């Protein structure tokens, strides 16, 4: 399916751990283990690739790493730093660069029960071998729209200033520049000011779901929010003014409603419908996309008629009990989501799933069967995104109980590809025009 370009370690990488100053070490003999649901497993050397450029290594506070003792072949919890007796050892995990999908998570033991959940990042299994860092992952998309080497800070700031002076009264442009580009360094907003690839259109301060891993709204005892939520609804005119030039000129142009810094865009369906009509009146070029929880089928059908090209549906699980446990939807359910997909396809639109990959859950055979039911509605593309949440905290919150056989993440993708030969896989919203 994907050309195997990258090298693998000759043998299992060694465990990484950190000291209380955050300095990272490789263990003299313990091997790196992966977490799959509640199980720790020894990944195959072929599961590891060199840690992709643009990834980060995170030290997990008050959490001890778990490695494999190659002699006894048993998992070992590393509480103490072997190089500083009496000093604690902390777990290390990888936050993978975009376009790479995790195969295993980093296993850890919480040092005490009342810990705050880790921030909203993904925590992939990492190790050390042959003088370099490795991660259990594969490149799932060869589009380079979010590769760090293509982001020139000075050029971004120059273009951002130009954008503000070009659209002085446009609140959406002001939000994208001051909040998304300058404060959060959002790659999509940076590509917008650089006039290329995919641009973001946040529109909704409200949402009709309460996702456990929501980036912009969390409860008191939840993880810290990653982004502040938008506080206004841009007008259709502001949206069209900002996005029509992008649709007309940007290479591989995509403009996307539904971003991390907002609630659910379908709650602003009237505004979206008018904005799409205005944009399509000005140009037929580029792709107009909607990232959504797909909770309102009728609204989806109306947007498709107005000119929406593609819809990306967020999905933690296609099994109703897990969908309910994660999304905690208000006044809609998984049936509505499926109906939205059916109507978008019936209207000739393109549908992607934004699948939150959680090794040990996403690749359960039961999940595969449930996913097949959704894909059979005509899904064209699956984006293999890494679930960005504290793994053990999430498994507790959803009351996770393993449901039998696991296919492995690669096995899941291969099984889906076999059952649906036309189904494509990737990481980003594909340009369609
Ligand atoms: S649908 Fe989006 S905005 Fe709404 S709770 Fe979930 S992640 Fe947050």
């Amino acid at each position: 399916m994907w050309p195997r370009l990258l090298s693998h370690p000759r043998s299992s990488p060694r465990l990484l751990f950190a000291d209380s100053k955050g300095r990272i070490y490789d263990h003299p003999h313990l091997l790196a283990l992966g977490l799959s649901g509640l199980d720790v497993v020894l990944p195959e050397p072929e599961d590891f690739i060199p840690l992709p450029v643009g990834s980060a290594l995170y030290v997990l506070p008050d959490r001890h790493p778990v490695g494999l003792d190659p002699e006894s072949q048993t998992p070992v919890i590393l509480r103490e730093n072997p190089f500083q007796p009496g000093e604690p050892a902390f777990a290390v995990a990888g936050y993978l660069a975009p376009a790479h999908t995790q195969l295993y998570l980093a296993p850890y033991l919480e040092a005490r029960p009342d810990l705050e959940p880790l921030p909203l990042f993904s925590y992939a299994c990492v190790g050390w071998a042959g003088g370099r860092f490795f991660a259990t992952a594969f490149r799932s998309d060869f589009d380079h729209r979010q590769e760090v080497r293509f982001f020139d800070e000075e050029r971004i700031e120059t273009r951002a200033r130009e954008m503000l002076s070009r659209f002085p009264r446009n609140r959406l442009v002001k939000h994208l520049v001051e909040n998304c580009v300058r404060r959060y360094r959002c790659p999509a907003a940076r590509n917008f000011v650089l006039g290329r690839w995919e641009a973001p259109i946040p529109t909704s301060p409200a949402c009709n779901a309460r996702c456990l891993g929501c980036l912009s709204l969390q409860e008191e005892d939840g993880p810290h929010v990653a982004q502040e939520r938008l506080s206004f609804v841009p007008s259709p005119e502001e949206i069209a003014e900002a996005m029509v030039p992008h649709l007309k000129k940007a290479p591989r142009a995509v403009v996307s409603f539904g971003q991390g810094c907002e609630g659910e865009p379908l709650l602003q369906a009237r505004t979206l419908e008018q904005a799409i009509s205005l944009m399509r009146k000005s140009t037929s070029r580029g792709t107009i996309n909607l990232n959504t929880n797909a909770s309102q089928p009728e609204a989806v059908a109306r947007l498709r008629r107005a000119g929406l090209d593609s819809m990306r549906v967020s999905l933690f699980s296609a099994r109703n009990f897990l969908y309910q446990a994660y999304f905690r939807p208000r006044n809609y359910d998984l049936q509505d989501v499926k109906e939205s997909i059916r109507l978008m396809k019936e209207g000739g639109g393109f549908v992607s799933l934004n699948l939150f990959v959680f090794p040990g859950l996403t690749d359960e055979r039961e999940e595969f069967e449930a996913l097949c039911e959704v894909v059979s509605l005509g899904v064209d593309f699956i984006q293999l995104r890494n679930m960005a949440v504290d793994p053990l905290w999430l498994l507790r919150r959803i009351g996770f109980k393993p449901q039998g056989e696991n296919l492995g993440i690669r096995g899941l993708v291969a099984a889906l590809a076999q059952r649906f030969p036309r189904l494509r896989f990737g990481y980003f919203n594909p340009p369609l025009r």
Side-chain angles (χ1 to χ4, degrees):
M1 191 167 302
W2 287 280
R4 292 183 161 250
L5 298 174
L6 301 163
S7 60
H8 304 294
R10 269 182 252 287
S11 59
S12 295
R14 292 202 301 283
L15 176 74
L16 293 170
F17 67 93
D19 64 18
S20 45
K21 291 194 173 55
R23 291 175 298 207
I24 296 177
Y25 306 79
D26 57 305
H27 192 276
H29 65 265
L30 293 180
L31 301 180
L33 283 174
L35 182 68
S36 172
L38 296 170
D39 301 332
V40 288
V41 296
L42 180 66
E44 301 297 329
E46 296 75 50
D47 292 328
F48 287 92
I49 58 170
L51 187 69
V53 175
S55 304
L57 287 174
Y58 289 147
V59 173
L60 311 187
D62 301 313
R63 292 157 175 89
H64 300 301
V66 184
L68 183 79
D69 177 346
E71 261 133 53
S72 65
Q73 287 297 305
T74 52
V76 174
I77 299 166
L78 186 70
R79 289 185 171 81
E80 198 175 274
N81 180 341
F83 305 126
Q84 297 163 357
E87 282 294 310
F90 298 106
V92 174
Y95 179 53
L96 299 174
H100 295 83
T101 301
Q102 60 196 0
L103 295 171
Y104 294 102
L105 302 165
Y108 55 86
L109 178 79
E110 293 158 321
R112 57 180 200 278
D114 60 345
L115 289 178
E116 266 197 14
L118 294 168
L120 293 166
F121 297 112
S122 53
Y123 299 96
C125 162
V126 286
W128 179 263
R132 63 188 312 178
F133 293 111
F134 282 88
T136 57
F138 65 96
R139 179 144 194 171
S140 45
D141 202 315
F142 285 84
D143 184 306
H144 50 232
R145 75 183 71 172
Q146 296 194 4
E147 282 185 26
V148 286
R149 64 193 163 119
F150 293 115
F151 290 109
D152 173 327
E153 299 304 331
E154 262 177 51
R155 196 158 150 256
I156 290 168
E157 186 44 35
T158 308
R159 299 294 291 271
R161 274 199 298 274
E162 285 168 9
M163 201 60 97
L164 285 177
S165 58
R166 201 165 144 206
F167 304 108
R169 279 176 295 285
N170 191 312
R171 295 171 301 159
L172 175 60
V173 170
K174 189 169 185 302
H175 173 82
L176 290 175
V177 169
E178 293 178 355
N179 182 68
C180 309
V181 170
R182 290 177 175 158
R183 192 165 164 213
Y184 292 114
R185 302 161 59 72
C186 163
R190 290 150 63 108
N191 281 330
F192 167 63
V193 297
L194 292 169
R196 63 187 190 186
W197 309 327
E198 184 170 8
I201 319 174
T203 57
S204 183
C207 190
N208 56 354
R210 295 166 301 134
C211 298
L212 291 172
C214 181
L215 295 173
S216 61
L217 193 67
Q218 282 289 340
E219 285 149 4
E220 202 55 37
D221 62 350
H224 292 289
V225 293
Q227 288 155 1
E228 223 170 77
R229 197 171 273 189
L230 180 88
S231 58
F232 69 98
V233 179
S235 69
E237 292 72 21
E238 284 174 312
I239 294 169
E241 181 190 47
M243 294 301 152
V244 164
H246 191 85
L247 285 168
K248 281 185 171 172
K249 294 209 189 78
R252 302 207 316 277
V254 179
V255 297
S256 287
F257 297 102
Q259 300 296 324
C261 59
E262 67 172 307
E264 173 48 43
L266 284 175
L267 301 189
Q268 314 303 334
R270 187 104 203 89
T271 297
L272 270 61
E273 193 175 356
Q274 292 170 7
I276 294 170
S277 305
L278 283 175
M279 290 192 274
R280 281 303 174 222
K281 265 204 203 90
S282 302
T283 177
S284 61
R285 187 177 180 276
T287 300
I288 302 179
N289 174 63
L290 169 68
N291 301 326
T292 176
N293 64 20
S295 52
Q296 303 188 348
E298 297 320 310
V300 167
R302 280 208 328 270
L303 297 181
R304 171 60 191 155
R305 286 194 293 274
L308 181 71
D309 298 296
S310 64
M311 173 174 79
R312 183 186 80 179
V313 179
S314 299
L315 200 64
F316 168 68
S317 171
R319 289 173 279 180
N320 198 42
F321 73 100
L322 286 173
Y323 186 93
Q324 291 287 336
Y326 178 81
F327 277 83
R328 303 183 300 174
R330 290 199 188 104
N331 310 324
Y332 81 93
D333 62 19
L334 192 51
Q335 270 327 98
D336 297 302
V337 175
K338 291 177 181 175
E339 181 60 4
S340 292
I341 293 172
R342 194 187 66 73
L343 288 175
M344 186 67 179
K345 289 311 301 174
E346 190 179 79
F350 184 94
V351 173
S352 296
L353 295 182
N354 183 17
L355 187 60
F356 306 154
V357 173
F358 193 109
L361 186 152
T362 311
D363 59 309
E364 287 189 313
R365 176 154 297 280
E366 281 201 5
E367 185 65 32
F368 166 65
E369 296 304 340
L371 268 174
C372 287
E373 216 192 300
V374 174
V375 173
S376 64
L377 295 165
V379 172
D380 302 281
F381 196 95
I382 295 185
Q383 297 178 23
L384 301 163
R385 295 285 180 128
N386 300 318
M387 183 73 232
V389 75
D390 179 330
L392 296 187
W393 175 82
L394 182 72
L395 292 175
R396 272 195 301 272
R397 288 301 300 262
I398 62 175
F400 178 71
K401 293 185 184 56
Q403 309 284 325
E405 181 204 357
N406 285 83
L407 308 177
I409 298 299
R410 264 195 230 284
L412 170 76
V413 174
L416 285 166
Q418 193 184 24
R419 190 158 313 174
F420 303 97
R422 285 186 39 258
L423 184 61
R424 290 162 50 202
F425 298 87
Y427 192 93
F428 300 113
N429 289 308
L432 302 175
R433 297 174 182 230

